[in-house]
Amino acid sequence: LLRFETASPPTARLVLDRSGRSRPLSRVVRSCDDSRAGAVYAHANEMTPRDHSFHAVAFEENLNLREIAARFPEAKLSAHHLRIAVDSPGDTFVFPFGAIVFHDAGPERREAALATLQRARPGLTTQVVREEYTVREDSTVGRVGFDTNGTLVVDKMTHGRANVIALTVAQSAAMEYYERIVESLFARTAALVE
């Protein structure tokens, strides 16, 4: 039976339970077949902290999820959002209040999805709010929390957690748009009062 030792940073050691001896990971991997080596490296990579990026774009208009789903055949429609899983890793979330969030999607994929969204919903405003948020996944932490820099740290990024983070970032971007409108109204009202 094989068991990994964890440390910070993650160690490259493997413990053999039967004999109790520890050997360097590289030596063990060289001495086993390719299938076991792949499993060893896959497990070692799970221990390495990883940053997840969430990019939000908020529009003035609301979005009809059923209309947009027709343009994204791979999309899954729920009561609260449209989830588009194009390729791994990452997802795209579309929310009815006019926001779209990209989880671990590169710039090309984001622009392609936005172009498709523009075709699905002609007349979307060009004045948008863009927001970005980074979450660190680190299996060595015992609980969800924030590090000293204020970054959210989770022990495992699940689909449920990605949904909640995407919704939060989408709402934040949408609220930014409304905050701008309110600030503009306050400025105009102050000018009328003076």
Side-chain angles (χ1 to χ4, degrees):
L1 298 174
L2 302 176
R3 172 174 64 86
F4 283 92
E5 291 181 352
T6 59
S8 184
T11 60
R13 291 170 47 116
L14 191 66
V15 177
L16 301 175
D17 285 339
R18 290 184 190 155
S19 65
R21 292 184 312 197
S22 296
R23 291 194 271 167
L25 179 62
S26 58
R27 183 182 299 165
V28 173
V29 170
R30 279 195 301 265
S31 68
C32 64
D33 65 12
D34 288 340
S35 63
R36 285 181 55 203
V40 167
Y41 277 119
H43 190 68
N45 286 339
E46 289 176 12
M47 295 174 13
T48 304
R50 176 174 176 236
D51 286 347
H52 293 268
S53 63
F54 290 83
H55 295 268
V57 179
F59 299 93
E60 289 180 22
E61 298 85 9
N62 288 335
L63 300 171
N64 184 323
L65 298 182
R66 290 189 191 277
E67 289 176 9
I68 294 168
R71 295 290 183 136
F72 294 96
E74 68 281 1
K76 291 184 172 48
L77 182 61
S78 77
H80 306 290
H81 67 276
L82 180 70
R83 181 173 160 258
I84 307 163
V86 178
D87 54 5
S88 201
D91 295 305
T92 301
F93 300 89
V94 182
F95 295 95
F97 51 84
I100 183 168
V101 178
F102 303 97
H103 169 220
D104 287 342
E108 305 84 28
R109 188 165 132 202
R110 292 193 304 261
E111 292 307 317
L114 287 172
T116 304
L117 182 63
Q118 291 281 356
R119 287 191 299 277
R121 176 66 165 77
L124 280 177
T125 56
T126 56
Q127 182 181 7
V128 297
V129 174
R130 294 180 185 261
E131 205 167 293
E132 183 177 349
Y133 191 71
T134 302
V135 177
R136 172 155 295 181
E137 178 182 15
D138 186 350
S139 62
T140 63
V141 300
R143 60 183 175 79
V144 175
F146 294 91
D147 67 8
T148 56
N149 297 327
T151 302
L152 177 62
V153 181
V154 297
D155 56 345
K156 183 173 175 68
M157 181 61 71
T158 63
H159 286 294
R161 287 179 176 173
N163 285 340
V164 170
I165 294 166
L167 175 61
T168 304
V169 175
Q171 289 174 336
S172 176
M175 288 304 297
E176 178 70 27
Y177 168 74
Y178 290 109
E179 287 173 7
R180 289 180 185 177
I181 291 174
V182 170
E183 287 174 6
S184 170
L185 290 173
F186 276 138
R188 289 193 317 192
T189 304
L192 291 174
V193 172
E194 293 175 2

